[in-house]
Amino acid sequence: MTFAVHGLPVARGIAIGRAVLVVSSRIDVAHYFIKADQVAEEIERVRTARNAVAEELQKLQASVALMGPNDAPHELIALLEVHQMLLQDESLTGGVKHWITDRLYNAEWALTTQLEIIARQFDEMEDEYLRERKADLEQVVERLLHRMKGTAAVLAPSPPRRKRPAEVEDDGGEAGAGAADAFDVPLVLIAHDLSPADMLQFKKSVFAGFVTDVGGRTSHTAIVARSMDIPAVVGARSASQLVRQDDWVIIDGDAGVVIVDPSPIILAEYGFKQRQGDLERSRLARLRHKPAVTLDGQKVDLLANIEMPEDAVGAVKAGAVGVGLFRSEFLFMGREAQRLTRLPNEEEQYQAYRRAIDGMQGMPVTVRTIDVGADKPLDGKSPRDDGHLNPALGLRAIRWSLADPAMFLTQLRAILRAAAHGEINLLIPMLAHASEIRQTLSLIDFARAELDNRGVAYGAVKLGAMIEIPAAALTLKTFLKHFDFLSIGTNDLIQYTLAIDRADESVAHLYDPAHPAVLRLVADTIAECRRQGKGVSVCGEMAGDVAFTRLLLGMGLRSFSMHPSQILAVKQEVLRADAAKLEAWARQVLEAEEPSELLPPTGG
Ligand code: PEP
Ligand code: MG
């Protein structure tokens, strides 16, 4: 039966494919595809863990048996027996084997997928006693997952594309089958949530689109989705509950709609939309080598936001004239799954920054120092798990770095060393206090002195601060005294100005980039930088949103940093704009109570 789930559109386009479900478990597990020749090894990991858990349970049973009847409640003995049974149950073990063998899921993903399937069966049982066994099954799987920690193989660099399964051939006239490639089935990812580390894995993956239950428009899940340049919907609430493995799904990344089990008519309509989108993309591709200059001759820099050094290739291809934001924290995430040290050392970081420089072929690269915390936890563990109720207001970004000077200095040395090989701008996130500025600057000096002492070469960098806390936007003079340039992080600036958690879909309707207070802070920052002859750019999602291109041009912005996938659409807007005409209009917008109601002037 066809049904639709609504969420927030975060990455444009239409994807049609079979659902691959990633379910969340209480234990944070890695999700990745293994290579076909790793199947036996992966099954062995599960078997070894199962034997170890069986032994663990046996020991428990033995120790319980030694207790007197008064100390060992009958229920406990029965419970341990149930756990043993569940552990050996064919529906668990057979299912896990299937996901590993046929779908090439890593063992942890296979286990949590099968857990979800059996758990749903338990939920549907009439017998209350049996229904309650779901919790036991969850405990057994958690024991297995604990046992498997640290035994994962190194990830497959490029996951295999799955062949069209026989069952699809059998579908006959079933909706969707005709839309799929003759040999490969496009896969779409459905998850409750994805950690930024998971997202990085999937970024190298084959998915044609994805959907998450949670997340706001500028949550980090949405940001990485956008960088993958595949249609995506976040905040779809219960999508991961309603969609089943292998369901045919249409993701409409323009409207924020997910259509499950579509009828042939709906499918045909979306197939048409998909082709239209492809045409539009190839039309835009012609702008790639065209300089971004407005009708009245204003040159505009369109820069790229990247998460990994390898993204530089895509940035150059998209026509970026540099990297305006390298979110370096992604070098620090998902390392356990890759069997790497907890944090990247100086040499590893230095090499990564150099790869970004090389990838950009002589164009400038702005490296932002680590911004972890809030919805970008290190080690996949949310700060909320540690009892922090408001992680977005807690130890995040520069606060984290200043609290761990050794880690910060390691990163600073690596960046300074990389600057000997190309133009690097060093960008500091989330500053608010003059004291933080002072500490940061003295640590940068200290890093230089350490390199001098070691006799290691390093280069000059321009220093920049992100303006993403209203307090910073209201004390620009202090910032401009110390920094060469400012970069406006509208994602956080909106979050902190409007008191809206950017990752919380339940308040996503109030997350308004066009709120007069937000526009005022952005406009004042641009104007003050221009007045003082300092560089200024916007690197939040607003910079890549064509709905704001003209307004930002009218405010005087000439440097926009965004995901490579958005560059050409923004360039098209720039080419059609008359910056001089937009100035007067932007002033009107800044005075308006409802700025979004004011349309740009014709020809502006
Ligand atoms: C921002 O806050 O706008 C920004 C660019 O930084 P991030 O999205 O990584 O917090
Ligand atoms: Mg930010």
Side-chain angles (χ1 to χ4, degrees):
M1 188 191 65
T2 303
F3 63 92
V5 184
H6 293 255
L8 303 165
V10 293
R12 305 200 55 171
I14 308 288
I16 304 173
R18 289 275 199 202
V20 171
L21 245 74
V22 170
V23 291
S24 47
S25 70
R26 272 177 277 171
I27 297 186
D28 183 59
V29 300
H31 302 90
Y32 54 91
F33 291 101
I34 56 169
K35 288 190 200 144
D37 62 9
Q38 290 174 313
V39 166
E41 190 189 327
E42 207 63 6
I43 291 175
E44 190 50 38
R45 285 181 62 222
V46 183
R47 208 193 323 266
T48 310
R50 200 181 59 192
N51 292 344
V53 171
E55 203 179 309
E56 198 174 290
L57 290 171
Q58 259 162 23
K59 278 192 189 144
L60 272 174
Q61 282 171 309
S63 62
V64 168
L66 286 178
M67 293 178 188
N70 294 340
D71 300 326
H74 175 69
E75 290 82 357
L76 181 57
I77 298 170
L79 202 71
L80 289 171
E81 271 167 23
V82 169
H83 282 205
Q84 280 285 19
M85 267 165 48
L86 289 169
L87 183 66
Q88 307 298 342
D89 195 284
E90 171 56 25
S91 63
L92 181 65
T93 51
V96 168
K97 222 169 165 179
H98 158 72
W99 297 115
I100 297 176
T101 313
D102 301 337
R103 298 297 170 83
L104 301 177
Y105 290 4
N106 67 309
E108 288 85 350
W109 187 3
L111 257 170
T112 48
T113 300
Q114 191 58 18
L115 167 66
E116 176 70 8
I117 288 172
I118 306 176
R120 284 190 192 190
Q121 291 165 3
F122 274 121
D123 282 341
E124 282 161 17
M125 284 177 184
E126 297 212 336
D127 184 305
E128 196 184 331
Y129 172 81
L130 288 177
R131 244 191 352 256
E132 284 169 2
R133 298 291 61 80
K134 180 174 122 174
D136 294 310
L137 180 70
E138 285 168 350
Q139 284 174 20
V140 167
V141 169
E142 280 180 19
R143 275 182 190 273
L144 283 167
L145 292 172
H146 269 305
R147 279 281 161 184
M148 287 192 309
K149 269 198 153 187
T151 66
V154 176
L155 303 186
S158 57
R161 219 179 142 79
R162 182 160 68 87
K163 284 288 174 211
R164 183 179 170 83
E167 67 204 75
V168 179
E169 246 91 54
D170 295 338
D171 273 347
E174 196 200 313
D181 181 288
F183 300 105
D184 282 337
V185 178
L187 301 177
V188 296
L189 188 67
I190 315 282
H192 175 68
D193 193 12
L194 288 170
S195 67
D198 263 349
M199 292 295 300
L200 279 187
Q201 280 315 315
F202 289 130
K203 201 167 163 171
K204 304 174 201 157
S205 196
V206 290
F207 293 107
F210 87 83
V211 179
T212 58
D213 293 347
V214 300
R217 263 175 233 270
T218 64
S219 61
H220 286 96
T221 309
I223 286 175
V224 184
R226 224 165 272 139
S227 78
M228 287 161 80
D229 198 15
I230 55 174
V233 172
V234 301
R237 308 249 170 159
S238 47
S240 75
Q241 301 286 318
L242 299 171
V243 179
R244 288 162 311 172
Q245 291 280 353
D246 272 348
D247 273 348
W248 276 99
V249 170
I250 295 174
I251 300 173
D252 182 342
D254 298 313
V257 178
V258 183
I259 301 168
V260 185
D261 200 7
S263 67
I265 290 182
I266 296 178
L267 206 68
E269 189 185 323
Y270 276 92
F272 176 71
K273 277 193 186 176
Q274 205 175 28
R275 286 190 294 281
Q276 296 277 92
D278 291 345
L279 275 177
E280 169 70 8
R281 250 193 295 277
S282 48
R283 211 172 48 73
L284 280 178
R286 291 194 215 129
L287 303 180
R288 197 172 290 152
H289 302 294
K290 221 175 156 71
V293 181
T294 61
L295 291 173
D296 55 334
Q298 295 285 317
K299 185 176 156 290
V300 177
D301 286 340
L302 300 182
L303 304 153
N305 290 355
I306 64 171
E307 276 88 38
M308 294 303 262
E310 291 65 36
D311 296 340
V313 178
V316 173
K317 252 196 209 153
V321 296
V323 168
L325 175 67
F326 177 176
R327 289 184 162 97
S328 69
E329 56 274 14
F330 284 88
L331 297 173
F332 292 68
M333 292 175 185
R335 298 179 59 82
E336 195 191 322
Q338 298 174 67
R339 290 227 187 135
L340 296 169
T341 49
R342 187 172 161 267
L343 298 177
N345 62 23
E346 181 183 319
E347 186 60 26
E348 191 183 337
Q349 288 189 57
Y350 162 68
Q351 295 296 350
Y353 305 134
R354 277 202 67 177
R355 284 203 303 283
I357 292 175
D358 294 346
M360 288 312 293
Q361 305 171 1
M363 292 182 274
V365 175
T366 303
V367 181
R368 179 179 70 184
T369 57
I370 185 169
D371 179 0
V372 283
D375 69 336
K376 278 182 292 191
L378 267 190
D379 308 331
K381 200 168 159 211
S382 162
R384 281 200 180 92
D385 300 341
D386 287 334
H388 299 283
L389 294 180
N390 265 319
L393 303 181
L395 197 64
R396 210 200 125 176
I398 190 62
R399 302 170 183 181
W400 182 299
S401 297
L402 294 178
D404 188 347
M407 181 209 72
F408 192 36
L409 283 167
T410 303
Q411 176 166 43
L412 291 174
R413 287 192 305 268
I415 297 172
L416 291 168
R417 282 176 58 194
H421 306 277
E423 190 179 340
I424 285 205
N425 304 316
L426 176 56
L427 181 61
I428 312 293
M430 247 193 116
L431 288 163
H433 303 266
S435 60
E436 289 172 326
I437 298 177
R438 278 196 302 275
Q439 284 178 62
T440 303
L441 297 180
S442 57
L443 282 168
I444 295 171
D445 284 343
F446 193 80
R448 287 194 186 105
E450 284 182 314
L451 292 172
D452 283 335
N453 286 343
R454 277 169 36 194
V456 176
Y458 60 91
V461 291
K462 277 202 198 118
L463 284 184
M466 289 197 64
I467 300 298
E468 48 186 350
I469 299 182
L474 294 167
T475 51
L476 291 169
K477 292 214 166 67
T478 307
F479 280 77
L480 289 172
K481 203 157 74 191
H482 297 287
F483 290 98
D484 304 311
F485 70 98
L486 300 181
S487 186
I488 309 173
T490 46
N491 305 337
D492 279 315
L493 190 61
I494 298 166
Q495 151 163 281
Y496 296 126
T497 305
L498 302 179
I500 299 296
D501 185 341
R502 61 192 267 194
D504 184 347
E505 68 284 357
S506 66
V507 284
H509 59 293
L510 296 171
Y511 186 93
D512 180 12
H515 189 288
V518 173
L519 296 183
R520 170 57 55 200
L521 294 175
V522 172
D524 287 354
T525 306
I526 296 170
E528 190 58 30
C529 286
R530 284 173 68 98
R531 211 170 295 136
Q532 296 202 27
K534 300 259 177 150
V536 60
S537 67
V538 171
C539 64
E541 296 303 294
M542 202 171 177
D545 184 344
V546 289
F548 288 98
T549 310
R550 285 167 191 240
L551 183 57
L552 292 170
L553 284 170
M555 289 176 180
L557 190 74
R558 298 293 179 264
S559 173
F560 296 62
S561 193
M562 68 203 81
H563 292 292
S565 61
Q566 297 161 320
I567 287 181
L568 293 175
V570 171
K571 192 185 276 187
Q572 178 168 266
E573 285 297 298
V574 170
L575 294 170
R576 292 172 178 171
D578 184 324
K581 278 194 190 156
L582 289 170
E583 261 177 49
W585 170 67
R587 276 196 295 276
Q588 274 175 20
V589 172
L590 284 170
E591 296 306 321
E593 203 171 296
E594 291 287 354
S596 49
E597 289 173 3
L598 287 182
L599 293 173
T602 38

